[in-house]
Amino acid sequence: MKITQMAGRALPLRGDDLDTDRIMPARFLRAVTFEGLEKHLFEDDRAADPSHPFNDRRYSGATVLVVNRNFGCGSSREHAPQGIARAGFDAIVGESFSEIFSGNSVMLGMPCFTAARGDVERLQTLVEQSPDTVVSCDVESGLITAGPLRIHASLPAAARDSFLSGQWNPTTMLLDDFDAVRQVAEKLPHISGF
Amino acid sequence: MPTLFQKVWKAHAVRTLPSGQTQLFVGLHLVHEVTSPQAFDMLRQHGWKVAYPERTFATVDHIVPTSSLQRPFLDVTAEEMTAALERNCREQGIELYAPGAPGADRQGIVHVIGPELGLTQPGMTIACGDSHTSTHGALGAIAIGIGTSQVRDVLASQCLAMEPLKVRRIDINGRLRPGVYAKDVILTIIRRLGVNGGVGYAYEYGGSTVDAMTLDQRMTMCNMSIEGGARVGYVNPDETTFAYLKGRPFVPHGEAFDRAVAYWRSIASDAGANYDDRVVIDAATIEPTVTWGINPGQSVGISEPIADNADGEALTFMGFARGQKIAGTKIDVAFIGSCTNGRLSDIEEAARVVSGRRVAPHVKALVVPGSQAVSRAAEAKGLDQIFRTAGFEWRGAGCSMCLAMNPDRLEGRQVCASSSNRNFKGRQGSPNGRTLLMSPAMVAAAAIAGEVADVRQMLTPAQV
Ligand code: SF4
């Protein structure tokens, strides 16, 4: 499936270094499926702060999450982006992301756009003032529009190309040429046994 | 002139994918109970088999109870997740080390047992559904933490789709001062370069300080690379590495070992290799270091005040003020363990501090060895008795209070002196719990004093 554009209302979530333990506390990893994770998104932060944006009804139904710097740092748990995707988000816009988090998100078909701090903050402010604003994200150009705002964002080249070509879920691609895999393996001393 | 990273990458590169990414062969895939069940399910849905079951090894660590490793576990979810992994491994022909199963004595934290068994070797690419996979880089491997969908990819194809990383060489030179450990070095590096300073990089650690380190110490450093944003951390293999590997169960013997050493030597970074960035740190400037905040970059030296520009949210959560010193902070819990500092030498360092002393009456203190082999080795040296006599609990192997997926967790606003790697809000199981990261010797000192204390004042001149 090609992923080219997404548009919807947004949820502004301010703060740097929001780690995966905050996004999805470890006790919710006690399960053999990802089902129902969306219910526990930011559960502890939401309990501690009644005005947390995820508690704010004005943002219910949002599909674009707007965050700040180093979002998703910490653990490799896919439970974090799974929870976000299962809560209905199909794109995240932020200043920067941890590599494992953004890589995991690509595998779920959820692009993580990066933009300059000032632009992200303007977008957050706009959405806080007018939660009904539709935010549109274009994968190819990286253009994000929201009311009067036009922001130039970007995706890692490989992520962008894989969304545009529909090959963001690479397993079949990795299995395409298995002879080549075997050849590489045979040449490796730790596989062939020195 | 290539670096180890570039040589290993090239040797494992299968082809360039249409996305521009590299299809990278994975030499060793390590699996644990928390990030794998969904991946095995996806495999089943597609009718795929594991491509290289003989290069895949599994253990249970995150959720296992450490008070008793008797099966079935009293914790129903822990039992269910362990049983699911047993089923998946049986179905796919994967070797599993779990309590109650054959090979149970090899169970432990995945990043402790890989090197311990000699599964981890120089020049390999290694993947595991866990961000601290970077630990294995201490042996000169390129070890990559991945998410569950990528676990599925590696199970199905033994490959990853990835872009190469840049390499930052970090030289640490000089002798560490007494009472200063690898943990203090890596906390200092993260503090200086930032928690996202390593995004896009592999960190190559070297210099005379690292050259003089044991493998356990190098593992502590590489383990926390990810806390600095670097997905990969490594040390070039050297004589210390080869001596560590010799005789371990999965390491070749006899002449094959000599051939292996020759190969391992050849994959180290060339003298004069080109690095994308370089950083030099003077070991003599590092002192025992403790985190005061809610990410591993927010730390101070034990004699320093918390900086004037320290982050307000973190200070409020932790209950600290700018200008305050960390020494003297009352603690409630002391935790020695984790894949950062749950190895034999860590437990030995802590035991030297604890020996002949008692845990402060208000402190709950526990030692959780990183693996069953570490437990056995420590018990053979009588270290368990030193800890028990002092008032510590001596537990079975697992992750335990590092992430509190088992019953070991903080309550309310408790403060924990911890030898683990993350001080994120809620990390140790209580949403308001507070974690102070430090070396195992410093945790031992805090357990005895009942508050954060300078371990250097507890070591006799003969000990330092
Ligand atoms: S000890 Fe902690 S950091 Fe290490 S693997 Fe276990 S949970 Fe993760």
Side-chain angles (χ1 to χ4, degrees):
Chain A
M1 186 185 71
K2 291 183 184 172
I3 296 176
T4 55
Q5 271 178 338
M6 46 284 301
R9 292 185 310 115
L11 188 152
L13 180 65
R14 291 187 190 262
D16 293 336
D17 305 317
L18 283 171
D19 59 75
T20 50
D21 279 85
R22 303 266 293 271
I23 301 171
M24 190 60 65
R27 60 185 184 278
F28 304 118
L29 276 52
R30 290 169 51 89
V32 294
T33 72
F34 290 132
E35 269 158 43
L37 282 175
E38 65 282 3
K39 293 197 285 284
H40 304 298
L41 212 46
F42 290 100
E43 184 155 311
D44 292 340
D45 281 8
R46 293 170 66 175
D49 174 14
S51 67
H52 192 278
F54 271 89
N55 288 335
D56 192 332
R57 300 271 299 271
R58 295 182 305 152
Y59 304 129
S60 61
T63 59
V64 178
L65 182 61
V66 190
V67 299
N68 296 101
R69 197 179 64 206
N70 200 26
F71 186 77
C73 60
S75 137
S76 67
R77 62 187 72 160
E78 194 169 300
H79 306 69
Q82 283 277 358
I84 294 173
R86 283 164 191 266
F89 293 94
D90 52 22
I92 311 182
V93 181
E95 290 168 48
S96 62
F97 297 87
S98 99
E99 266 166 49
I100 302 183
F101 180 89
S102 60
N104 281 342
S105 299
V106 171
M107 309 279 278
L108 305 181
M110 179 170 70
C112 296
F113 291 92
T114 53
R117 187 171 187 97
D119 285 338
V120 170
E121 285 175 345
R122 269 189 288 281
L123 180 59
Q124 288 172 326
T125 306
L126 177 92
V127 176
E128 282 159 0
Q129 287 164 353
S130 328
D132 286 330
T133 310
V134 171
V135 178
S136 312
C137 312
D138 186 79
V139 171
E140 183 158 20
S141 64
L143 188 68
I144 295 182
T145 56
L149 208 60
R150 289 167 68 83
I151 291 174
H152 290 283
S154 63
L155 291 171
R160 187 195 57 211
D161 294 350
S162 58
F163 287 132
L164 292 175
S165 64
Q167 293 188 312
W168 42 272
N169 192 336
T171 327
T172 35
M173 222 167 21
L174 293 172
L175 286 167
D176 264 357
D177 189 358
F178 206 69
D179 284 342
V181 175
R182 294 238 178 253
Q183 279 164 22
V184 167
E186 276 160 25
K187 275 188 285 176
L188 290 165
H190 44 266
I191 303 295
S192 62
F194 296 98
Chain B
M1 297 297 235
T3 59
L4 176 143
F5 182 88
Q6 289 154 349
K7 294 185 200 181
V8 174
W9 186 273
K10 198 170 155 200
H12 290 79
V14 176
R15 60 181 185 137
T16 303
L17 295 168
S19 62
Q21 290 172 299
T22 305
Q23 175 166 0
L24 191 71
F25 183 77
V26 172
L28 173 69
H29 185 199
L30 300 170
V31 171
H32 66 82
E33 77 281 19
V34 174
T35 57
S36 69
Q38 301 88 347
F40 281 108
D41 278 348
M42 294 187 238
L43 225 62
R44 257 190 295 274
Q45 279 160 23
H46 289 93
W48 288 325
K49 294 295 286 177
V50 171
Y52 278 80
E54 70 279 17
R55 297 307 305 150
T56 312
F57 294 83
T59 192
V60 287
D61 49 10
H62 284 66
I63 205 171
V64 293
T66 56
S67 42
S68 161
L69 293 172
Q70 275 302 320
R71 297 283 302 277
F73 297 137
L74 283 178
D75 175 344
V76 180
T77 311
E79 181 57 34
E80 186 195 339
M81 291 181 80
T82 305
L85 184 60
E86 281 172 336
R87 206 167 44 244
N88 289 328
C89 288
R90 207 178 317 121
E91 212 175 281
Q92 299 282 358
I94 295 168
E95 196 154 313
L96 166 69
Y97 307 128
D105 57 343
R106 289 180 168 180
Q107 178 259 340
I109 304 173
V110 64
H111 311 310
V112 176
I113 68 165
E116 191 172 82
L117 293 170
L119 286 168
T120 304
Q121 293 174 14
M124 272 182 181
T125 49
I126 299 177
C128 174
D130 191 281
S131 58
H132 293 103
T133 305
S134 58
T135 313
H136 305 260
L139 286 93
I142 296 304
I144 305 160
I146 57 177
T148 296
S149 296
Q150 286 176 303
V151 172
R152 170 203 62 202
D153 286 353
V154 180
L155 288 173
S157 69
Q158 201 64 18
C159 292
L160 280 173
M162 241 189 106
E163 289 121 279
L165 298 166
K166 292 182 283 186
V167 181
R168 172 177 291 145
R169 166 81 181 191
I170 303 178
D171 278 288
I172 306 109
N173 292 315
R175 265 178 67 117
L176 290 175
R177 291 188 297 178
V180 178
Y181 303 91
K183 182 65 156 286
D184 302 302
V185 178
I186 189 65
L187 284 172
T188 301
I189 290 172
I190 299 165
R191 180 183 175 189
R192 294 205 192 154
L193 301 181
V195 287
N196 60 353
V199 173
Y201 283 96
Y203 279 179
E204 177 182 304
Y205 304 104
S208 63
T209 314
V210 177
D211 290 345
M213 280 184 179
T214 63
L215 261 289
D216 283 9
Q217 293 168 326
R218 294 176 187 179
M219 284 187 238
T220 301
M221 301 254 316
C222 290
N223 174 273
M224 289 190 71
S225 303
I226 186 69
E227 308 311 331
R231 199 168 185 180
V232 162
Y234 68 88
V235 176
N236 284 303
D238 62 5
E239 298 308 321
T240 311
T241 319
F242 311 142
Y244 174 93
L245 283 165
K246 191 162 192 176
R248 295 193 180 262
F250 286 92
V251 172
H253 296 274
E255 283 176 17
F257 181 77
D258 299 335
R259 285 195 296 276
V261 168
Y263 173 69
W264 294 339
R265 256 187 240 290
S266 76
I267 53 97
S269 294
D270 290 337
N274 290 319
Y275 295 99
D276 300 286
D277 191 30
R278 294 194 83 120
V279 173
V280 178
I281 288 175
D282 177 1
T285 61
I286 303 173
E287 63 168 350
T289 301
V290 179
T291 62
W292 56 264
I294 55 172
N295 74 51
Q298 294 169 328
S299 65
V300 274
I302 187 77
S303 66
E304 264 178 285
I306 295 173
D308 285 339
N309 61 357
D311 175 67
E313 182 201 347
L315 288 171
T316 310
F317 181 82
M318 296 298 291
F320 289 125
R322 299 186 174 105
Q324 187 181 343
K325 288 198 172 164
I326 198 93
T329 305
K330 189 165 168 274
I331 66 152
D332 306 293
V333 177
F335 170 64
I336 296 174
S338 86
C339 58
T340 315
N341 281 126
R343 297 184 182 78
L344 182 62
S345 59
D346 300 312
I347 294 173
E348 282 175 318
E349 290 292 355
R352 292 203 301 165
V353 178
V354 168
S355 183
R357 296 190 168 106
R358 285 216 44 93
V359 171
H362 67 275
V363 173
K364 174 190 166 76
L366 61 164
V367 182
V368 184
S371 70
Q372 297 202 19
V374 169
S375 292
R376 284 192 300 272
E379 286 165 13
K381 293 186 162 206
L383 303 181
D384 58 324
Q385 283 311 323
I386 293 178
F387 284 105
R388 283 204 175 101
T389 310
F392 275 85
E393 295 173 40
W394 180 260
R395 296 292 192 81
C399 297
S400 176
M401 206 180 259
C402 175
L403 94 165
M405 276 188 75
N406 75 356
D408 306 328
R409 61 176 63 122
L410 299 185
E411 302 291 337
R413 295 259 300 151
Q414 279 185 328
V415 175
C416 179
S418 181
S419 72
S420 56
N421 47 43
R422 288 193 172 138
N423 52 344
F424 298 148
K425 280 186 183 178
R427 172 73 178 183
Q428 292 189 293
S430 161
N432 309 316
R434 292 170 287 174
T435 303
L436 310 177
L437 302 177
M438 58 189 87
S439 71
M442 283 285 285
V443 175
I448 304 295
E451 59 183 41
V452 176
D454 189 340
V455 66
R456 293 173 296 189
Q457 288 160 9
M458 290 199 190
L459 296 168
T460 62
Q463 283 180 316
V464 295

